[in-house]
Amino acid sequence: MTVDDAADGRLPVAGPVDVRRAALRLVGAEGRAFSAVLALNVLAAGAGLAGPWLLGRIIDHVRAGGGVGGVDRLAVGILAAALAQLLLARWARYAAHRFGERTLARVREEFVDRALALPASVVERAGAGDLTTRGTADVTAVGTTLRTVGPELLVSTVQALFVLAAVFLIDPLLGAVGVLALAPVGCAVRWYLRRARDGYLREGAAVSDIAEVLAATASGARTVEAYRLAGRRVAAGRDALETSLRTRLYTLFLRSVFFPAVEVSYVLPVAGVLLVGGALHARGAVTVGAVVAAALYLRQFTEPLDQILMHIELLQSSGASFARVEGLARAPRTATAQAPAPADDRIDVRGARYAYERGGEVLRGVDLTVRPGERLAVVGPSGAGKSTLSRLLAGVDAPSAGAVTVGGVPVAALEPERLRRQVVLVTQEHHVFLGTVRDNLRIAEPEASDGQLWSALGAVGADVWVRELPDGLDTGLGAGGHPTDGARAQQLALARVVLADPHTLILDEATALLDPSTARHTERALAAVLRGRTVIAIAHRLHTAHDADRVAVMEDGLLTEVGTHDELVASGGAYAALWHTWHGDADGTGDEAGESEGAGDEAGDAEGAGVGAGDAVGDGVRA
């Protein structure tokens, strides 16, 4: 990972050494298939050498006064060699394509495994566009190389080596002349390779930036419209496109220099052999047939050489793509299974500090203990650090200083499966995955039975509309499937929470997208699910805090007050001011009326059973 990558949060890119090791590992995984491909290409190349050699024999045979019978026999040999080369080459390409498809499947599986193992914080900093581009355009480029470029390059390389070897066997001096005449080609290749990798890496990064701008603009379309940001988003898209254009023009410049230089150099080996061969023949050092055979070999050499150079250009592009795909192996991983099991469900925050890469310190030394089964509401003004604290509690991010532990074990050190059983963060984001209703629910519990799925749907009031779907749990959702609005997406997300069955739930605006009637029903159902669990609610409506066991008040990255609702209102501090302002009672004379109103609201929502059922979230179960 380069310094620039680290600075701007990009996912890392594998270096040349790492790429070579990864390629060798993939080849080794299909060692027998690769050996078969190599053997078939060697046989095909060997069969291709027979033609020019036999033609040289025909010329010498005729010059020596030989009969038609000898020419016919040699001609039959040329025909047989051509047919053998055709069959062997087709067989070699078939075997190479099978090898390529199996290897590509391995690359895709590894990419998915690595992507799923990335911490949410790493993905968020890198942006969805970068990861999406690596999983689509870059993997496709690698696939093209494995299916087509790799096999063709292997065939051409073997043919080229065999042709050069044949020229040296005819006459070492002619072979040396042919190799020396290739020096301009070598210089052009060296010039190109020194610049191509970096150029194609910049091009791939620019494409990722375009995808990121498009994804961010599309997902935030309503926000863009509400705040009249269309001009800024268009400008951002234009800047990304202009950067991509510059990177593409640079790689085009490299190709426009490389290919003409190579094309001009093709005639030099043949011309050199004819000139030197003519001089040697005049001195009686070689026969005419030998010179003709050597010239034909070198003329034949231009075809595999042309293919090699064409594929070198494609390899630079796909090599850069493979470096980006393989770079996921160097990204920070989620915690490993070596972390011990938590001793209990108690959550402790000690001196926690956190700062985002492009901003100042958001948390500035937070100390908090959340007891098992406690209902805690976290309140405070916008930007106080409430959401950041929730991410640390859920293990999405690790504190830059201090510690956040559950049962004495750092939350961020728990492996994903165990973390999901301990703490679940339900955020304001919501997403319906491509697949069936059953697939969307089993993300939280892969082994869940249909009965458990229906029970979870019923717990959040989603069973009614799911039963009305054409195929029930087997109805396809997402792009091309049954349309699902924001309210239903939220219900599916909450059903996933029920299936995940964590002991601690961190909630933030759970029913924000539901209509009032559906929201109240969902809140009542979810309240029953939350009973007996530890619930931490990021409270945006203070009636949630009213019924909590304790309220934590955050201001400017610090916990300034912790206590029950009554204690904090009586103390006349920041929470009391928020409470009175929320009730439109700036002088504080309406405490009892305000509390009664809040209690009445909450009783209707969650019957006091769970803090923040009304403030839970839209989608995402994050662990």
Side-chain angles (χ1 to χ4, degrees):
M1 185 172 182
T2 66
V3 174
D4 290 340
D5 290 335
D8 62 12
R10 290 183 186 274
L11 293 169
V13 175
V17 174
D18 293 328
V19 169
R20 285 194 291 271
R21 288 175 179 170
L24 291 174
R25 173 175 52 79
L26 291 173
V27 169
E30 295 286 342
R32 293 181 61 182
F34 182 79
S35 299
V37 171
L38 185 61
L40 288 170
N41 280 311
V42 168
L43 293 174
L49 295 177
W53 180 78
L54 290 173
L55 182 59
R57 291 288 305 276
I58 289 175
I59 293 173
D60 289 340
H61 179 75
V62 172
R63 286 177 59 83
V68 175
V71 173
D72 290 342
R73 287 191 297 272
L74 292 172
V76 170
I78 293 175
L79 181 61
L83 181 61
Q85 183 186 22
L86 174 65
L87 295 176
L88 287 169
R90 285 183 62 85
W91 190 4
R93 282 180 172 81
Y94 172 77
H97 279 277
R98 287 179 57 85
F99 164 79
E101 288 294 343
R102 286 195 295 269
T103 305
L104 176 59
R106 195 181 303 276
V107 170
R108 285 174 170 158
E109 291 168 359
E110 287 182 352
F111 181 86
V112 171
D113 290 340
R114 291 166 177 172
L116 293 176
L118 292 175
S121 57
V122 172
V123 176
E124 290 173 0
R125 284 195 295 269
D130 192 9
L131 189 61
T132 301
T133 304
R134 293 182 189 225
T136 53
D138 289 329
V139 170
T140 299
V142 173
T144 300
T145 298
L146 291 172
R147 284 192 302 266
T148 305
V149 177
E152 293 291 342
L153 180 62
L154 184 60
V155 171
S156 299
T157 301
V158 173
Q159 289 178 343
L161 291 175
F162 271 52
V163 166
L164 285 178
V167 176
F168 273 96
L169 287 175
I170 290 174
D171 189 275
L173 183 58
L174 294 180
V177 170
V179 171
L180 290 175
L182 292 174
V185 176
C187 293
V189 171
R190 178 180 174 83
W191 178 88
Y192 176 76
L193 292 181
R194 291 178 62 181
R195 295 163 175 80
R197 184 178 187 274
D198 290 340
Y200 281 112
L201 284 176
R202 288 194 293 270
E203 183 177 314
V207 173
S208 293
D209 289 341
I210 293 175
E212 179 62 28
V213 170
L214 291 175
T217 302
S219 62
R222 292 183 179 179
T223 302
V224 170
E225 292 176 357
Y227 289 93
R228 299 180 180 178
L229 300 176
R232 293 187 184 181
R233 299 311 301 170
V234 170
R238 185 180 293 113
D239 290 343
L241 288 170
E242 289 176 354
T243 301
S244 177
L245 176 61
R246 287 195 297 271
T247 61
R248 288 179 180 273
L249 287 176
Y250 178 73
T251 56
L252 177 61
F253 160 72
L254 295 180
R255 293 192 295 272
S256 66
V257 173
F258 176 61
F259 285 117
V262 167
E263 291 291 342
V264 171
S265 301
Y266 282 162
V267 299
L268 297 180
V270 177
V273 165
L274 288 176
L275 288 173
V276 175
L280 292 175
H281 175 66
R283 297 179 182 181
V286 295
T287 65
V288 173
V291 175
V292 171
L296 288 175
Y297 275 132
L298 289 174
R299 183 65 186 88
Q300 182 178 317
F301 178 74
T302 60
E303 181 179 351
L305 180 62
D306 187 59
Q307 291 296 317
I308 290 171
L309 296 177
M310 287 286 292
H311 292 144
I312 282 178
E313 189 274 327
L314 292 173
L315 276 178
Q316 295 311 297
S317 175
S318 60
S321 294
F322 189 38
R324 286 163 50 79
V325 172
E326 188 63 24
L328 259 66
R330 280 79 192 162
R333 320 312 303 166
T334 51
T336 61
Q338 279 78 27
D344 52 38
D345 297 336
R346 171 176 164 142
I347 295 177
D348 290 296
V349 183
R350 293 289 178 264
R353 293 178 174 270
Y354 189 81
Y356 291 100
E357 291 182 357
R358 296 180 180 86
E361 200 169 43
V362 182
L363 299 181
R364 301 188 297 115
V366 174
D367 291 290
L368 177 68
T369 294
V370 184
R371 296 181 292 271
E374 182 178 19
R375 299 170 298 164
L376 176 72
V378 181
V379 303
S382 178
K386 303 186 300 296
S387 295
T388 301
L389 178 61
S390 71
R391 291 166 63 86
L392 265 60
L393 291 170
V396 175
D397 289 314
S400 52
V404 179
T405 62
V406 55
V409 178
V411 177
L414 295 175
E415 57 96 17
E417 199 65 31
R418 177 172 290 168
L419 178 60
R420 190 174 74 238
R421 301 301 181 193
Q422 296 289 138
V423 184
V424 164
L425 168 65
V426 191
T427 71
Q428 295 182 43
E429 301 168 2
H430 59 277
H431 185 71
V432 176
F433 296 93
L434 184 63
T436 64
V437 176
R438 180 183 284 104
D439 295 334
N440 270 268
L441 295 176
R442 282 183 172 171
I443 291 172
E445 180 49 69
E447 303 301 324
S449 65
D450 284 1
Q452 291 173 307
L453 300 183
W454 283 116
S455 178
L457 290 169
V460 297
D463 56 329
V464 176
W465 64 264
V466 172
R467 292 186 189 279
E468 294 175 353
L469 295 177
D471 299 310
L473 292 174
D474 293 316
T475 302
L477 303 177
H482 192 278
T484 307
D485 59 19
R488 292 183 173 183
Q490 282 192 320
Q491 288 182 311
L492 288 175
L494 295 175
R496 287 198 284 263
V497 174
V498 175
L499 288 168
D501 193 27
H503 78 70
T504 297
L505 219 58
I506 303 173
L507 307 175
D508 187 2
E509 293 285 1
T511 55
L513 296 182
L514 304 181
D515 62 81
S517 175
T518 305
R520 190 166 297 276
H521 175 74
T522 302
E523 289 163 3
R524 288 173 177 168
L526 187 58
V529 175
L530 298 180
R531 183 176 287 112
R533 302 181 190 280
T534 304
V535 180
I536 304 171
I538 307 302
H540 296 270
R541 291 174 286 180
L542 290 189
H543 68 246
T544 297
H546 178 276
D547 278 358
D549 296 326
R550 285 193 302 161
V551 180
V553 182
M554 291 203 69
E555 295 180 284
D556 194 24
L558 292 170
L559 280 181
T560 57
E561 295 181 311
V562 179
T564 67
H565 167 81
D566 293 336
E567 290 171 349
L568 296 184
V569 170
S571 70
Y575 179 77
L578 286 173
W579 179 260
H580 296 314
T581 301
W582 191 62
H583 283 281
D585 181 25
D587 61 4
T589 59
D591 285 356
E592 295 303 321
E595 292 182 28
S596 298
E597 179 184 345
D601 288 344
E602 185 64 19
D605 279 357
E607 300 173 347
V611 137
D615 282 334
V617 62
D619 165 49
V621 176
R622 296 199 185 186

